[in-house]
Amino acid sequence: MATTTTTMLRETASSHHEALGQSEAVARKMRRRGRESRFWWLVPTLYIVFLMLPIYWLVNMSFKTNTEILGSFSLWPQNPTLRNYMVIFTDPAWYSGYINSIIYVTLNTIISVGVALPAAYAFSRYKFLGDKHLFFWLLTNRMAPPAVFALPFLQLYSSFGLIDTHIAVALAHCLFNVPLAVWILEGFMSGVPKEIDETAYIDGYSFPRFFVKIFMPLIASGIGVAAFFCFMFSWVELLLARTLTTTEAKPIAATMTRTVSASGLDWGVLAAAGVLTIIPGALVIYFVRNYIAKGFALGRV
Amino acid sequence: MARIELDHIRHAYMANPQSADDYALKEVHHQWSDGGAYALLGPSGCGKTTLLNIISGLLKPSEGQIRFNGTDVTNLSTEERNIAQVFQFPVVYDTMTVFDNLAFPLRNRGLPEADVKKRVTETLEMLDLSDRANKRARGLTADQKQKISLGRGLVRRDVNAILFDEPLTVIDPHLKWVLRSELKKLHRRFGFTMVYVTHDQTEALTFADKVVVMYEGEIVQIGTPDELFRKPAHTFVGYFIGSPGMNIVPIKLDQGRARLGEHVIDMPGATPMPGKMELGIRPEFVTLGREGMPVSISKVEDIGRHRIVRAQLADHDIAVVVPEDGDIPADPRVTFVPEGINLYADSRRVETRG
Amino acid sequence: MEKTYNNKAWFLVLPVLVLVAFSAVIPLMTVVNYSVQDTFGNNVFFWAGTEWFEQVLTSSRFHGALIRSLSFSLVILAIQIPLGIFVALNMPRKGIGVPICLVLMALPLLIPWNVVGTIWQVFGRGDIGLLGYTLRTLGISYNYATDPWHAWITVVVMDVWHWTSLVVLLCYAGLVSIPDAYYQAAKIDGASRWSVFRYIQLPKMNRVLLIAVLLRFMDSFMIYTEPFVVTGGGPGSATNFLSIDLVKMAIGQFDLGPAAAMSIVYFLIILALSWVFYTVMTNYDTANR
């Protein structure tokens, strides 16, 4: 050890000399490396432009008349009109589609989060017979292609007389939303120390009272994130929603495709309807913007 | 290795600081010598991390200049300042082996592979990590990881300073001692300028040659552990350092004597002055006996080598250190050892003699 | 966290089990039922054994759809994962730019899938769409309705547009969870931009990346609505992916037996691949603990 020390000291002295010669070059190199690129913003900007262009085009079309859409090509409406939106807001076939969508999406979100809460608690707090298999089996449902289930759902729900009701779609969407909600909530619940449960029990709380009064407020943001994703996946899904409905509970997005195929090509109304289906999603994202990253951060979606 | 000069440094996190209170770091103007081991000590929020970040270059001070060996480095980035830093939580490159972790800073600077190998092997030996050289860094314990963080600085040899930001936070108590003494050994051997941030007085006092005590954004004293003990420059230093801390009692000052309630304490050389006057005396310099000012004892704590007596003197709580075999009289009275008396005006120490 | 062993936890899981049984198990049983029976209508079924499975597994139509779906998923992963990482690396970390980027980037994820199809159907048309019109004006012949390659490119670009943000958001979340000390240490060590990525960011993103790959694989392998709206599986059968083919067979032609057999084979493929991912992921988790 002693010899190492002396050689090292000598080393240090000599490297000090050579460092003096090199330092300028190294410093220059380090300077170049340390600086952040000034054009980093270009990447997100270009990407967002790529995302926004098709949406802009839809919005653009929704304010044009059909003659303008088909007759001349312009980057913005020459004679802006609200006719397309008026068509939608005055025709019950259109706006009831909205109400239907919102009813079954809300129902689904409540059911999914409601049943997922106790289950996620069980997975985050206890070991039990077959827990790991059960968890994977739940996840497989998130992986099941809706196309596989479309026909069986149709038959199952017909036999229960549920076809063309909101609850049918809400239940069908549970197929992929419940596993998702369990997954997200389990992540948030695992982050709450177990001592809190124990303290509450010692303080004489019963399980349901503890769960509602103490535990749920603690994972409020988790519930928000889970609800957001349930809303999102139920809102965008159409294959099942369309298969299980005919008139009474038909979602807005389905109304859109059908009306277009029935009445020829009213591009303006089609675009306006498309724009209107984007708005609820945009509003929801805006309200939960601060939670999105957090929800994703758990790596649980 | 470098001498660090802090020239009228001030820092505020807000854009337009108005009053002195807006500054997270109030004026700092000091020079730290080359090869010194400095500890920045203070409670959380006192500005010690701000000062460290200013030295490391992660933060640019709002005002003032910082120089290494006389060269202005205020506007240089961290890597250009050529310093090493060990963080609160061990930073290791998980996917690399221990050897590659240490070689990383050298390879980044384009050192020939033969030199890299030589230096890394030596550093590993110094840190007692040779047997793990080819293991992944991921599987190591916290103290080993922290040694790697340190090693990445040591391996560079020519660094201007090594900075430590509460590096022992996540280390088990019994290993703290080991790591700290190894650090001290390395410092003696190579003489790096070291700056060590901590809120733990034991850590600061055992590690550093000079302890820099900070309080509310100011450096209140720089001194050796002995100076901090004997002559705390600020009442805060008095009760932050030492266990139990210094007794501070308010007094009225006349020519050459102090009045504490109805008691009179001789203070040769003291003259009346404006402001809030206080007398500070360490519990070690208070003698409990049958003479002096009467006190009423409220509690006696036996902590092994000596006992701490908590008592009331003229309505003020004071602590007295009594030797294990010292007796506690039924009618207890205390006297102050004159050498241990410090005088404070508005919390700052006033020199009374010589 | 240390978990206690308690089989009463099953009661808490019960609601989920009942619900999922109703919405997954019973339908799945129906599918299995169909897959081994034949019918001439009138709800009269008789045993068909493995006939449908043999038919499906040997049919060139199924092979074609399977190969198309697999290649589509691979292309999608090859584009979206690197692109997603790249965008995430260049996202702002703080300031007003963060919520703006997050909201705008998440927008395509919340558009109903058939509307996504409609948007691209319109956008790519030579007469009224911005993209199609621009390409035509530039003298590039482009028509997704007649040219199989153009149809493929359109569907791929559409999916990139629709889903890359998911990868971006996942990676971004992984990136912001890296403590600042890592970047500071790398700076002090003189690491290059590439080294920071290779030795700090990539290892820390590992887990979210696996999830991104898993999700993107599953969802692209199951894709139905968007290409159905844009191309309807055409031209010819160029974009006839598994889901599209399945729905055509089951609901269009009402070939229940083959459709059911195909559903099961399809589901088993996804299950097998997902199981591989899941095992890799959980092994990775325990290795890191």
Side-chain angles (χ1 to χ4, degrees):
Chain A
M1 201 64 193
T3 41
T4 336
T5 318
T6 26
T7 44
M8 282 210 63
L9 280 172
R10 229 177 294 137
E11 263 283 317
T12 319
S14 66
S15 70
H16 212 78
H17 282 289
E18 79 193 57
L20 284 174
Q22 281 182 3
S23 60
E24 196 42 42
V26 172
R28 219 177 302 128
K29 194 169 154 196
M30 292 295 108
R31 211 166 301 153
R32 202 180 58 236
R33 279 183 173 185
R35 199 139 298 166
E36 283 272 306
S37 163
R38 231 174 301 163
F39 297 105
W40 63 268
W41 55 269
L42 212 61
V43 177
T45 309
L46 283 178
Y47 179 66
I48 287 172
V49 167
F50 165 64
L51 294 185
M52 289 304 121
L53 267 183
I55 295 176
Y56 168 72
W57 198 247
L58 193 74
V59 175
N60 177 20
M61 269 175 63
S62 73
F63 289 108
K64 288 179 179 179
T65 60
N66 275 322
T67 24
E68 193 185 340
I69 293 170
L70 293 168
S72 62
F73 188 86
S74 58
L75 287 176
W76 54 86
Q78 303 298 321
N79 305 301
T81 169
L82 285 176
R83 183 200 75 98
N84 301 319
Y85 289 98
M86 291 313 293
V87 170
I88 292 171
F89 286 124
T90 48
D91 182 354
W94 275 108
Y95 63 74
S96 69
Y98 253 106
I99 297 165
N100 290 334
S101 288
I102 286 168
I103 291 176
Y104 76 69
V105 168
T106 312
L107 267 175
N108 171 265
T109 306
I110 294 170
I111 297 174
S112 299
V113 175
V115 299
L117 272 171
Y121 182 81
F123 283 118
S124 77
R125 290 294 191 260
Y126 300 114
K127 269 192 222 144
F128 49 93
L129 192 64
D131 54 352
K132 295 220 171 66
H133 299 103
L134 190 64
F135 203 67
F136 179 66
W137 175 71
L138 270 179
L139 285 184
T140 60
N141 291 307
R142 173 65 182 77
M143 300 164 188
V148 169
F149 285 93
L151 185 62
F153 271 143
L154 186 61
Q155 295 188 313
L156 179 67
Y157 289 152
S158 334
S159 61
F160 282 95
L162 286 172
I163 289 298
D164 208 16
T165 58
H166 299 114
I167 192 78
V169 185
L171 283 176
H173 283 177
C174 285
L175 173 68
F176 44 83
N177 272 349
V178 167
L180 189 71
V182 173
W183 206 18
I184 296 175
L185 288 172
E186 199 263 341
F188 275 93
M189 288 179 184
S190 297
V192 178
K194 209 177 169 178
E195 287 70 30
I196 289 180
D197 309 25
E198 282 153 10
T199 318
Y201 294 143
I202 292 168
D203 289 349
Y205 276 84
S206 65
F207 176 73
R209 216 163 83 86
F210 152 74
F211 200 83
V212 177
K213 290 260 175 195
I214 297 177
F215 198 68
M216 279 180 41
L218 281 176
I219 51 154
S221 60
I223 294 174
V225 170
F228 166 70
F229 281 102
C230 288
F231 176 93
M232 162 174 154
F233 281 109
S234 183
W235 176 255
V236 295
E237 207 282 338
L238 192 74
L239 176 60
L240 291 179
R242 200 175 55 178
T243 312
L244 298 177
T245 54
T246 48
T247 48
E248 287 301 312
K250 196 160 62 172
I252 174 69
T255 313
M256 192 174 134
T257 3
R258 284 184 195 176
T259 309
V260 167
S261 47
S263 67
L265 293 168
D266 191 342
W267 291 111
V269 176
L270 178 73
V275 171
L276 290 177
T277 62
I278 297 177
I279 290 171
L283 282 178
V284 170
I285 308 174
Y286 181 76
F287 285 123
V288 299
R289 65 191 180 284
N290 293 326
Y291 290 105
I292 297 180
K294 201 173 168 187
F296 276 106
L298 285 159
R300 283 294 169 98
V301 178
Chain B
M1 271 132 284
R3 184 178 74 245
I4 300 172
E5 290 160 63
L6 301 164
D7 188 352
H8 298 281
I9 301 264
R10 288 218 283 179
H11 188 75
Y13 285 101
M14 60 186 78
N16 292 308
Q18 303 297 329
S19 70
D21 285 343
D22 292 346
Y23 285 91
L25 191 66
K26 290 167 196 142
E27 184 143 315
V28 171
H29 184 67
H30 284 289
Q31 198 180 93
W32 296 354
S33 59
D34 185 4
Y38 291 87
L40 294 184
L41 178 66
S44 8
C46 69
K48 56 190 194 298
T49 303
T50 308
L51 182 56
L52 189 81
N53 287 343
I54 286 172
I55 297 172
S56 72
L58 294 169
L59 216 60
K60 197 178 159 322
S62 315
E63 292 161 36
Q65 204 183 48
I66 170 162
R67 289 188 292 268
F68 285 179
N69 283 337
T71 317
D72 180 13
V73 294
T74 318
N75 292 310
L76 295 189
S77 65
T78 309
E79 58 270 38
E80 291 166 296
R81 292 186 187 191
N82 198 17
I83 47 112
Q85 186 163 358
V86 179
F87 296 90
Q88 195 164 11
F89 297 96
V91 174
V92 294
Y93 305 108
D94 285 341
T95 51
M96 293 187 202
T97 62
V98 172
F99 184 94
D100 290 337
N101 256 282
L102 294 197
F104 191 59
L106 299 180
R107 288 179 181 153
N108 286 332
R109 287 171 171 77
L111 215 71
E113 195 58 32
D115 291 0
V116 171
K117 191 164 186 320
K118 196 158 135 244
R119 281 208 202 168
V120 172
T121 315
E122 283 167 1
T123 312
L124 282 172
E125 207 168 293
M126 272 161 31
L127 295 171
D128 241 350
L129 286 169
S130 304
D131 50 329
R132 291 173 203 274
N134 294 313
K135 290 233 171 72
R136 291 232 161 189
R138 174 181 294 163
L140 299 179
T141 57
D143 58 306
Q144 287 166 335
K145 285 186 178 173
Q146 206 56 307
K147 277 193 195 175
I148 294 175
S149 317
L150 172 62
R152 283 205 311 272
L154 291 178
V155 80
R156 273 161 58 197
R157 302 287 168 70
D158 58 338
V159 290
N160 281 325
I162 303 185
L163 312 180
F164 298 85
D165 188 1
E166 309 206 15
L168 301 179
T169 311
V170 293
I171 310 292
D172 285 345
H174 68 282
L175 285 171
K176 281 188 182 179
W177 272 105
V178 180
L179 273 181
R180 207 156 56 216
S181 47
E182 279 182 40
L183 214 57
K184 204 141 192 194
K185 224 161 63 194
L186 291 169
H187 178 247
R188 277 201 212 102
R189 195 191 289 177
F190 299 112
F192 296 110
T193 309
M194 290 189 174
V195 181
Y196 189 108
V197 164
T198 180
H199 59 256
D200 179 338
Q201 53 160 314
T202 325
E203 254 179 65
L205 296 173
T206 50
F207 166 84
D209 312 333
K210 287 276 182 72
V211 179
V212 180
V213 186
M214 297 193 65
Y215 177 61
E216 289 183 346
E218 268 177 288
I219 293 182
V220 287
Q221 187 169 15
I222 299 186
T224 62
D226 188 56
E227 283 165 355
L228 297 186
F229 183 78
R230 286 181 183 284
K231 295 182 173 174
H234 191 279
T235 49
F236 170 76
V237 181
Y239 50 69
F240 192 68
I241 289 173
S243 174
M246 185 181 248
N247 298 309
I248 313 254
V249 285
I251 50 166
K252 284 206 182 77
L253 199 63
D254 293 338
Q255 193 65 41
R257 22 175 229 181
R259 285 178 192 280
L260 167 59
E262 57 207 26
H263 309 295
V264 175
I265 301 159
D266 281 336
M267 294 195 81
T271 44
M273 53 183 91
K276 186 180 70 165
M277 298 306 296
E278 283 163 311
L279 178 149
I281 184 150
R282 296 229 171 246
E284 289 83 353
F285 294 107
V286 184
T287 323
L288 190 70
R290 286 169 220 285
E291 288 165 16
M293 300 166 280
V295 292
S296 59
I297 293 175
S298 49
K299 202 161 74 175
V300 180
E301 296 161 23
D302 196 331
I303 57 162
R305 278 168 302 161
H306 49 76
R307 283 176 291 178
I308 296 165
V309 175
R310 307 276 180 192
Q312 291 255 307
L313 169 64
D315 294 335
H316 299 291
D317 289 324
I318 61 163
V320 185
V321 169
V322 179
E324 182 65 6
D325 52 359
D327 90 308
I328 296 167
D331 172 30
R333 285 161 180 271
V334 293
T335 46
F336 293 167
V337 178
E339 291 81 28
I341 296 176
N342 289 287
L343 186 63
Y344 295 94
D346 286 333
S347 299
R348 291 181 194 275
R349 187 169 183 276
V350 185
E351 201 64 47
T352 47
R353 291 174 279 261
Chain C
M1 192 187 311
E2 203 49 51
K3 296 180 189 176
T4 37
Y5 190 90
N6 187 351
N7 274 326
K8 278 182 193 145
W10 269 96
F11 286 109
L12 296 173
V13 190
L14 209 61
V16 164
L17 283 186
V18 172
L19 191 68
V20 175
F22 187 69
S23 66
V25 179
I26 297 174
L28 201 61
M29 291 320 292
T30 329
V31 179
V32 174
N33 209 15
Y34 284 137
S35 73
V36 292
Q37 298 188 66
D38 199 0
T39 179
F40 296 116
N42 310 328
N43 276 334
V44 185
F45 289 90
F46 55 87
W47 178 251
T50 56
E51 191 189 316
W52 299 131
F53 286 96
E54 284 163 30
Q55 192 188 318
V56 164
L57 287 172
T58 52
S59 81
S60 58
R61 177 176 166 180
F62 176 71
H63 292 161
L66 181 62
I67 289 169
R68 273 191 293 276
S69 280
L70 277 177
S71 347
F72 179 71
S73 291
L74 289 181
V75 171
I76 288 303
L77 287 180
I79 298 174
Q80 292 184 354
I81 300 293
L83 181 64
I85 295 173
F86 182 65
V87 173
L89 285 175
N90 287 292
M91 291 255 297
R93 292 286 149 73
K94 47 180 179 268
I96 185 75
V98 178
I100 293 175
C101 280
L102 285 178
V103 169
L104 290 180
M105 286 180 185
L107 197 56
L109 298 173
L110 273 135
I111 299 176
W113 294 349
N114 70 321
V115 178
V116 171
T118 310
I119 289 176
W120 279 86
Q121 189 191 18
V122 172
F123 196 58
R125 278 175 66 119
D127 52 348
I128 58 170
L130 182 62
L131 177 69
Y133 186 86
T134 313
L135 287 174
R136 210 177 59 181
T137 325
L138 291 174
I140 302 164
S141 85
Y142 166 81
N143 189 338
Y144 62 78
T146 53
D147 186 311
W149 278 111
H150 293 172
W152 255 81
I153 294 169
T154 310
V155 174
V156 167
V157 171
M158 173 174 69
D159 202 75
V160 168
W161 180 85
H162 190 181
W163 286 110
T164 305
S165 293
L166 186 74
V167 184
V168 174
L169 294 183
L170 279 167
C171 291
Y172 180 72
L175 285 175
V176 293
S177 68
I178 301 175
D180 275 347
Y182 278 83
Y183 294 112
Q184 294 166 3
K187 264 188 166 184
I188 289 168
D189 289 340
S192 61
R193 187 72 196 80
W194 167 253
S195 295
V196 171
F197 174 69
R198 169 71 186 76
Y199 297 112
I200 296 175
Q201 294 171 322
L202 200 58
K204 296 277 170 197
M205 275 197 292
N206 230 328
R207 203 187 128 81
V208 279
L209 268 183
L210 269 162
I211 292 166
V213 169
L214 180 64
L215 277 177
R216 283 317 300 130
F217 169 75
M218 287 180 338
D219 288 344
S220 64
F221 202 64
M222 299 192 285
I223 193 167
Y224 170 79
T225 313
E226 305 96 307
F228 181 77
V229 173
V230 176
T231 65
S237 58
T239 55
N240 211 10
F241 299 118
L242 272 177
S243 277
I244 297 181
D245 202 33
L246 182 62
V247 174
K248 272 185 190 166
M249 202 188 280
I251 293 172
Q253 302 161 4
F254 230 70
D255 276 339
L256 291 185
M262 188 170 153
S263 295
I264 288 173
V265 174
Y266 185 15
F267 192 27
L268 287 179
I269 295 173
I270 294 191
L271 212 59
L273 289 169
S274 301
W275 185 77
V276 172
F277 278 121
Y278 184 79
T279 319
V280 171
M281 250 165 69
T282 41
N283 282 350
Y284 180 84
D285 257 17
T286 39
N288 265 335
R289 213 156 270 162

